[in-house]
Amino acid sequence: MTLTLNHYLLVSGLLFTIGFAGVMLRRNIITIFMCLELMLNAANLSLVAFSRFNVGPDGLPNFNAQVLVFFIITVAAAEVAVGLAIIVALYRARQTTHVEDISSLKF
Amino acid sequence: MNPLLFWFFAAMMLAFGVSVVLNRNPVASALSLVVSFLCLAALYVGLDAYFIGAIQVIVYAGAVMVLFLFIIMLLDLGAEQRRKFNKVALVGGSAVALGFAAQLVGVLGKFPMGNKPFPELKLPPGESLNDLQHVGETLFSVHTLPFQVIGVLILVATIGVIVISKRELK
């Protein structure tokens, strides 16, 4: 059996689903944050699969997609730094990482 | 990529992804996430994206996850104590996730392009793919402006982190 694009898209979609379920089901803010990372990586996997699938006339993969993955990884690293700083500030103010204890912005 | 290797790494990645969601201890979740990212890097290498695989290991499995573990241990978070489940969130979250997976299978089943195998790369005889050179050329010739914007974004993020951690939140 040869591998096709659909195999990669299916695995990437399942990884996204796992991350999404984690964001919906978990109540620990750090775990929610890790599940967000999982979803970002699922998108990266499908981008790299499309890049390899779309071989141009010069016989090379489409490197624009890999540059986009590079940008996504950079932005994700910046996002993690800011997000964890917010979590630390929140923990100093409230002594909790449980999202149901942090509801002052909730209508 | 050898299909056996693909299935091995894909299954490992998904299994450890599930373990991130199911573990009650955040440290165990973070370590599962590291393994999941390493398997993802192996999938990238199988797709001939060696540079992306390398920065996946260095930036994600290295820097980002060390930051996560550092914060978890700094805050001294133990295993979450069991609380009453919010039934609406539990049912709703599972339903949306399952609906998404079902939609995914349906859409991929009607995507004939995806059933073609990956085309072979045409390389000069005796040479291997130099993807770092090509990614670099694309980055610095086609996408120069986004690259500089990313630089500014990282500067803003650095300053923001310092401001957030210094100010007394009352």
PDB file of all heavy atoms in Angstrom, chain B residues 25-54:
ATOM      1  N   ASN B  25      -2.056  14.704  35.738  1.00  0.00           N
ATOM      2  CA  ASN B  25      -0.862  15.400  36.200  1.00  0.00           C
ATOM      3  C   ASN B  25      -0.288  16.235  35.053  1.00  0.00           C
ATOM      4  O   ASN B  25       0.031  15.692  34.001  1.00  0.00           O
ATOM      5  CB  ASN B  25       0.153  14.353  36.663  1.00  0.00           C
ATOM      6  CG  ASN B  25       1.324  14.964  37.356  1.00  0.00           C
ATOM      7  OD1 ASN B  25       1.583  16.158  37.194  1.00  0.00           O
ATOM      8  ND2 ASN B  25       2.028  14.177  38.116  1.00  0.00           N
ATOM      9  N   PRO B  26      -0.153  17.576  35.204  1.00  0.00           N
ATOM     10  CA  PRO B  26       0.356  18.395  34.099  1.00  0.00           C
ATOM     11  C   PRO B  26       1.758  18.023  33.651  1.00  0.00           C
ATOM     12  O   PRO B  26       2.075  18.164  32.464  1.00  0.00           O
ATOM     13  CB  PRO B  26       0.324  19.814  34.652  1.00  0.00           C
ATOM     14  CG  PRO B  26      -0.400  19.777  35.917  1.00  0.00           C
ATOM     15  CD  PRO B  26      -0.549  18.369  36.368  1.00  0.00           C
ATOM     16  N   VAL B  27       2.609  17.538  34.566  1.00  0.00           N
ATOM     17  CA  VAL B  27       3.966  17.158  34.156  1.00  0.00           C
ATOM     18  C   VAL B  27       3.903  15.970  33.200  1.00  0.00           C
ATOM     19  O   VAL B  27       4.575  15.947  32.151  1.00  0.00           O
ATOM     20  CB  VAL B  27       4.828  16.821  35.386  1.00  0.00           C
ATOM     21  CG1 VAL B  27       6.198  16.364  34.965  1.00  0.00           C
ATOM     22  CG2 VAL B  27       4.949  18.029  36.283  1.00  0.00           C
ATOM     23  N   ALA B  28       3.049  14.984  33.507  1.00  0.00           N
ATOM     24  CA  ALA B  28       2.899  13.839  32.608  1.00  0.00           C
ATOM     25  C   ALA B  28       2.335  14.279  31.266  1.00  0.00           C
ATOM     26  O   ALA B  28       2.773  13.802  30.213  1.00  0.00           O
ATOM     27  CB  ALA B  28       1.990  12.795  33.261  1.00  0.00           C
ATOM     28  N   SER B  29       1.395  15.238  31.292  1.00  0.00           N
ATOM     29  CA  SER B  29       0.849  15.768  30.039  1.00  0.00           C
ATOM     30  C   SER B  29       1.949  16.390  29.201  1.00  0.00           C
ATOM     31  O   SER B  29       2.042  16.140  27.989  1.00  0.00           O
ATOM     32  CB  SER B  29      -0.198  16.836  30.337  1.00  0.00           C
ATOM     33  OG  SER B  29      -1.417  16.273  30.655  1.00  0.00           O
ATOM     34  N   ALA B  30       2.779  17.217  29.842  1.00  0.00           N
ATOM     35  CA  ALA B  30       3.831  17.915  29.101  1.00  0.00           C
ATOM     36  C   ALA B  30       4.821  16.913  28.510  1.00  0.00           C
ATOM     37  O   ALA B  30       5.234  17.063  27.353  1.00  0.00           O
ATOM     38  CB  ALA B  30       4.545  18.901  30.010  1.00  0.00           C
ATOM     39  N   LEU B  31       5.186  15.866  29.278  1.00  0.00           N
ATOM     40  CA  LEU B  31       6.147  14.891  28.743  1.00  0.00           C
ATOM     41  C   LEU B  31       5.526  14.101  27.598  1.00  0.00           C
ATOM     42  O   LEU B  31       6.197  13.789  26.605  1.00  0.00           O
ATOM     43  CB  LEU B  31       6.633  13.966  29.862  1.00  0.00           C
ATOM     44  CG  LEU B  31       7.497  14.691  30.889  1.00  0.00           C
ATOM     45  CD1 LEU B  31       7.905  13.761  32.006  1.00  0.00           C
ATOM     46  CD2 LEU B  31       8.740  15.271  30.235  1.00  0.00           C
ATOM     47  N   SER B  32       4.218  13.798  27.685  1.00  0.00           N
ATOM     48  CA  SER B  32       3.549  13.136  26.555  1.00  0.00           C
ATOM     49  C   SER B  32       3.579  14.022  25.323  1.00  0.00           C
ATOM     50  O   SER B  32       3.770  13.546  24.200  1.00  0.00           O
ATOM     51  CB  SER B  32       2.104  12.820  26.906  1.00  0.00           C
ATOM     52  OG  SER B  32       2.020  12.095  28.074  1.00  0.00           O
ATOM     53  N   LEU B  33       3.406  15.331  25.546  1.00  0.00           N
ATOM     54  CA  LEU B  33       3.409  16.263  24.420  1.00  0.00           C
ATOM     55  C   LEU B  33       4.788  16.283  23.754  1.00  0.00           C
ATOM     56  O   LEU B  33       4.873  16.376  22.524  1.00  0.00           O
ATOM     57  CB  LEU B  33       3.028  17.656  24.916  1.00  0.00           C
ATOM     58  CG  LEU B  33       2.626  18.666  23.865  1.00  0.00           C
ATOM     59  CD1 LEU B  33       1.492  18.136  23.045  1.00  0.00           C
ATOM     60  CD2 LEU B  33       2.222  19.969  24.498  1.00  0.00           C
ATOM     61  N   VAL B  34       5.856  16.171  24.552  1.00  0.00           N
ATOM     62  CA  VAL B  34       7.201  16.127  23.965  1.00  0.00           C
ATOM     63  C   VAL B  34       7.313  14.924  23.027  1.00  0.00           C
ATOM     64  O   VAL B  34       7.780  15.034  21.884  1.00  0.00           O
ATOM     65  CB  VAL B  34       8.275  16.061  25.063  1.00  0.00           C
ATOM     66  CG1 VAL B  34       9.629  15.826  24.454  1.00  0.00           C
ATOM     67  CG2 VAL B  34       8.288  17.337  25.870  1.00  0.00           C
ATOM     68  N   VAL B  35       6.868  13.745  23.492  1.00  0.00           N
ATOM     69  CA  VAL B  35       6.969  12.539  22.646  1.00  0.00           C
ATOM     70  C   VAL B  35       6.129  12.704  21.387  1.00  0.00           C
ATOM     71  O   VAL B  35       6.538  12.346  20.284  1.00  0.00           O
ATOM     72  CB  VAL B  35       6.537  11.297  23.450  1.00  0.00           C
ATOM     73  CG1 VAL B  35       6.638  10.060  22.595  1.00  0.00           C
ATOM     74  CG2 VAL B  35       7.384  11.152  24.674  1.00  0.00           C
ATOM     75  N   SER B  36       4.939  13.302  21.558  1.00  0.00           N
ATOM     76  CA  SER B  36       4.074  13.526  20.405  1.00  0.00           C
ATOM     77  C   SER B  36       4.767  14.425  19.379  1.00  0.00           C
ATOM     78  O   SER B  36       4.727  14.153  18.170  1.00  0.00           O
ATOM     79  CB  SER B  36       2.772  14.153  20.896  1.00  0.00           C
ATOM     80  OG  SER B  36       1.823  14.206  19.905  1.00  0.00           O
ATOM     81  N   PHE B  37       5.432  15.483  19.851  1.00  0.00           N
ATOM     82  CA  PHE B  37       6.128  16.393  18.936  1.00  0.00           C
ATOM     83  C   PHE B  37       7.308  15.700  18.258  1.00  0.00           C
ATOM     84  O   PHE B  37       7.593  15.967  17.094  1.00  0.00           O
ATOM     85  CB  PHE B  37       6.620  17.628  19.688  1.00  0.00           C
ATOM     86  CG  PHE B  37       5.523  18.612  19.981  1.00  0.00           C
ATOM     87  CD1 PHE B  37       5.717  19.635  20.881  1.00  0.00           C
ATOM     88  CD2 PHE B  37       4.299  18.517  19.354  1.00  0.00           C
ATOM     89  CE1 PHE B  37       4.709  20.545  21.146  1.00  0.00           C
ATOM     90  CE2 PHE B  37       3.296  19.414  19.619  1.00  0.00           C
ATOM     91  CZ  PHE B  37       3.506  20.432  20.519  1.00  0.00           C
ATOM     92  N   LEU B  38       8.000  14.819  18.991  1.00  0.00           N
ATOM     93  CA  LEU B  38       9.128  14.118  18.370  1.00  0.00           C
ATOM     94  C   LEU B  38       8.634  13.205  17.254  1.00  0.00           C
ATOM     95  O   LEU B  38       9.247  13.116  16.181  1.00  0.00           O
ATOM     96  CB  LEU B  38       9.906  13.322  19.423  1.00  0.00           C
ATOM     97  CG  LEU B  38      10.709  14.177  20.404  1.00  0.00           C
ATOM     98  CD1 LEU B  38      11.385  13.290  21.432  1.00  0.00           C
ATOM     99  CD2 LEU B  38      11.760  14.976  19.662  1.00  0.00           C
ATOM    100  N   CYS B  39       7.489  12.517  17.471  1.00  0.00           N
ATOM    101  CA  CYS B  39       6.931  11.671  16.412  1.00  0.00           C
ATOM    102  C   CYS B  39       6.511  12.522  15.228  1.00  0.00           C
ATOM    103  O   CYS B  39       6.676  12.122  14.069  1.00  0.00           O
ATOM    104  CB  CYS B  39       5.750  10.874  16.932  1.00  0.00           C
ATOM    105  SG  CYS B  39       6.205   9.719  18.200  1.00  0.00           S
ATOM    106  N   LEU B  40       5.977  13.714  15.507  1.00  0.00           N
ATOM    107  CA  LEU B  40       5.594  14.623  14.425  1.00  0.00           C
ATOM    108  C   LEU B  40       6.829  15.028  13.626  1.00  0.00           C
ATOM    109  O   LEU B  40       6.785  15.088  12.387  1.00  0.00           O
ATOM    110  CB  LEU B  40       4.910  15.844  15.024  1.00  0.00           C
ATOM    111  CG  LEU B  40       4.253  16.799  14.057  1.00  0.00           C
ATOM    112  CD1 LEU B  40       3.204  16.090  13.251  1.00  0.00           C
ATOM    113  CD2 LEU B  40       3.620  17.939  14.804  1.00  0.00           C
ATOM    114  N   ALA B  41       7.948  15.277  14.305  1.00  0.00           N
ATOM    115  CA  ALA B  41       9.187  15.616  13.601  1.00  0.00           C
ATOM    116  C   ALA B  41       9.609  14.463  12.696  1.00  0.00           C
ATOM    117  O   ALA B  41      10.068  14.681  11.566  1.00  0.00           O
ATOM    118  CB  ALA B  41      10.293  15.942  14.602  1.00  0.00           C
ATOM    119  N   ALA B  42       9.409  13.221  13.155  1.00  0.00           N
ATOM    120  CA  ALA B  42       9.739  12.067  12.310  1.00  0.00           C
ATOM    121  C   ALA B  42       8.860  12.053  11.063  1.00  0.00           C
ATOM    122  O   ALA B  42       9.331  11.736   9.961  1.00  0.00           O
ATOM    123  CB  ALA B  42       9.563  10.780  13.108  1.00  0.00           C
ATOM    124  N   LEU B  43       7.575  12.415  11.218  1.00  0.00           N
ATOM    125  CA  LEU B  43       6.695  12.480  10.037  1.00  0.00           C
ATOM    126  C   LEU B  43       7.175  13.550   9.061  1.00  0.00           C
ATOM    127  O   LEU B  43       7.128  13.355   7.848  1.00  0.00           O
ATOM    128  CB  LEU B  43       5.258  12.774  10.462  1.00  0.00           C
ATOM    129  CG  LEU B  43       4.508  11.661  11.180  1.00  0.00           C
ATOM    130  CD1 LEU B  43       3.072  12.064  11.415  1.00  0.00           C
ATOM    131  CD2 LEU B  43       4.539  10.395  10.362  1.00  0.00           C
ATOM    132  N   TYR B  44       7.644  14.697   9.592  1.00  0.00           N
ATOM    133  CA  TYR B  44       8.169  15.745   8.714  1.00  0.00           C
ATOM    134  C   TYR B  44       9.368  15.224   7.929  1.00  0.00           C
ATOM    135  O   TYR B  44       9.479  15.472   6.723  1.00  0.00           O
ATOM    136  CB  TYR B  44       8.607  16.965   9.529  1.00  0.00           C
ATOM    137  CG  TYR B  44       7.497  17.783  10.121  1.00  0.00           C
ATOM    138  CD1 TYR B  44       7.725  18.596  11.224  1.00  0.00           C
ATOM    139  CD2 TYR B  44       6.222  17.761   9.596  1.00  0.00           C
ATOM    140  CE1 TYR B  44       6.717  19.357  11.778  1.00  0.00           C
ATOM    141  CE2 TYR B  44       5.214  18.513  10.141  1.00  0.00           C
ATOM    142  CZ  TYR B  44       5.466  19.304  11.231  1.00  0.00           C
ATOM    143  OH  TYR B  44       4.471  20.051  11.772  1.00  0.00           O
ATOM    144  N   VAL B  45      10.265  14.510   8.612  1.00  0.00           N
ATOM    145  CA  VAL B  45      11.444  13.982   7.919  1.00  0.00           C
ATOM    146  C   VAL B  45      10.998  13.009   6.834  1.00  0.00           C
ATOM    147  O   VAL B  45      11.545  12.982   5.726  1.00  0.00           O
ATOM    148  CB  VAL B  45      12.394  13.325   8.936  1.00  0.00           C
ATOM    149  CG1 VAL B  45      13.483  12.555   8.232  1.00  0.00           C
ATOM    150  CG2 VAL B  45      13.007  14.388   9.832  1.00  0.00           C
ATOM    151  N   GLY B  46       9.953  12.227   7.109  1.00  0.00           N
ATOM    152  CA  GLY B  46       9.437  11.315   6.093  1.00  0.00           C
ATOM    153  C   GLY B  46       8.862  12.033   4.893  1.00  0.00           C
ATOM    154  O   GLY B  46       8.779  11.462   3.809  1.00  0.00           O
ATOM    155  N   LEU B  47       8.446  13.282   5.083  1.00  0.00           N
ATOM    156  CA  LEU B  47       7.933  14.084   3.966  1.00  0.00           C
ATOM    157  C   LEU B  47       9.038  14.911   3.315  1.00  0.00           C
ATOM    158  O   LEU B  47       8.748  15.892   2.631  1.00  0.00           O
ATOM    159  CB  LEU B  47       6.828  15.021   4.463  1.00  0.00           C
ATOM    160  CG  LEU B  47       5.476  14.375   4.727  1.00  0.00           C
ATOM    161  CD1 LEU B  47       4.585  15.311   5.501  1.00  0.00           C
ATOM    162  CD2 LEU B  47       4.821  14.002   3.428  1.00  0.00           C
ATOM    163  N   ASP B  48      10.300  14.575   3.534  1.00  0.00           N
ATOM    164  CA  ASP B  48      11.472  15.271   2.967  1.00  0.00           C
ATOM    165  C   ASP B  48      11.572  16.713   3.433  1.00  0.00           C
ATOM    166  O   ASP B  48      12.151  17.544   2.740  1.00  0.00           O
ATOM    167  CB  ASP B  48      11.452  15.239   1.429  1.00  0.00           C
ATOM    168  CG  ASP B  48      11.516  13.831   0.904  1.00  0.00           C
ATOM    169  OD1 ASP B  48      12.345  13.083   1.415  1.00  0.00           O
ATOM    170  OD2 ASP B  48      10.718  13.488   0.020  1.00  0.00           O
ATOM    171  N   ALA B  49      10.989  17.066   4.588  1.00  0.00           N
ATOM    172  CA  ALA B  49      11.123  18.424   5.124  1.00  0.00           C
ATOM    173  C   ALA B  49      12.084  18.344   6.316  1.00  0.00           C
ATOM    174  O   ALA B  49      11.670  18.409   7.463  1.00  0.00           O
ATOM    175  CB  ALA B  49       9.771  18.977   5.548  1.00  0.00           C
ATOM    176  N   TYR B  50      13.393  18.187   5.995  1.00  0.00           N
ATOM    177  CA  TYR B  50      14.373  17.942   7.063  1.00  0.00           C
ATOM    178  C   TYR B  50      14.540  19.160   7.954  1.00  0.00           C
ATOM    179  O   TYR B  50      14.673  19.046   9.169  1.00  0.00           O
ATOM    180  CB  TYR B  50      15.717  17.545   6.451  1.00  0.00           C
ATOM    181  CG  TYR B  50      15.614  16.382   5.506  1.00  0.00           C
ATOM    182  CD1 TYR B  50      15.708  16.553   4.137  1.00  0.00           C
ATOM    183  CD2 TYR B  50      15.391  15.097   5.996  1.00  0.00           C
ATOM    184  CE1 TYR B  50      15.590  15.493   3.274  1.00  0.00           C
ATOM    185  CE2 TYR B  50      15.270  14.029   5.141  1.00  0.00           C
ATOM    186  CZ  TYR B  50      15.360  14.238   3.784  1.00  0.00           C
ATOM    187  OH  TYR B  50      15.222  13.181   2.939  1.00  0.00           O
ATOM    188  N   PHE B  51      14.515  20.351   7.332  1.00  0.00           N
ATOM    189  CA  PHE B  51      14.713  21.575   8.125  1.00  0.00           C
ATOM    190  C   PHE B  51      13.550  21.762   9.093  1.00  0.00           C
ATOM    191  O   PHE B  51      13.764  22.067  10.285  1.00  0.00           O
ATOM    192  CB  PHE B  51      14.833  22.772   7.171  1.00  0.00           C
ATOM    193  CG  PHE B  51      14.865  24.095   7.857  1.00  0.00           C
ATOM    194  CD1 PHE B  51      15.870  24.397   8.747  1.00  0.00           C
ATOM    195  CD2 PHE B  51      13.891  25.041   7.612  1.00  0.00           C
ATOM    196  CE1 PHE B  51      15.902  25.624   9.384  1.00  0.00           C
ATOM    197  CE2 PHE B  51      13.911  26.265   8.238  1.00  0.00           C
ATOM    198  CZ  PHE B  51      14.915  26.556   9.135  1.00  0.00           C
ATOM    199  N   ILE B  52      12.303  21.564   8.598  1.00  0.00           N
ATOM    200  CA  ILE B  52      11.146  21.727   9.475  1.00  0.00           C
ATOM    201  C   ILE B  52      11.200  20.692  10.597  1.00  0.00           C
ATOM    202  O   ILE B  52      10.910  21.003  11.764  1.00  0.00           O
ATOM    203  CB  ILE B  52       9.844  21.589   8.664  1.00  0.00           C
ATOM    204  CG1 ILE B  52       9.785  22.662   7.575  1.00  0.00           C
ATOM    205  CG2 ILE B  52       8.641  21.700   9.543  1.00  0.00           C
ATOM    206  CD1 ILE B  52       9.679  24.048   8.087  1.00  0.00           C
ATOM    207  N   GLY B  53      11.610  19.465  10.281  1.00  0.00           N
ATOM    208  CA  GLY B  53      11.758  18.446  11.322  1.00  0.00           C
ATOM    209  C   GLY B  53      12.764  18.866  12.375  1.00  0.00           C
ATOM    210  O   GLY B  53      12.545  18.698  13.575  1.00  0.00           O
ATOM    211  N   ALA B  54      13.888  19.463  11.918  1.00  0.00           N
ATOM    212  CA  ALA B  54      14.924  19.882  12.872  1.00  0.00           C
ATOM    213  C   ALA B  54      14.412  21.004  13.761  1.00  0.00           C
ATOM    214  O   ALA B  54      14.602  20.971  14.992  1.00  0.00           O
ATOM    215  CB  ALA B  54      16.176  20.329  12.111  1.00  0.00           C
TER     216      ALA B  54
END
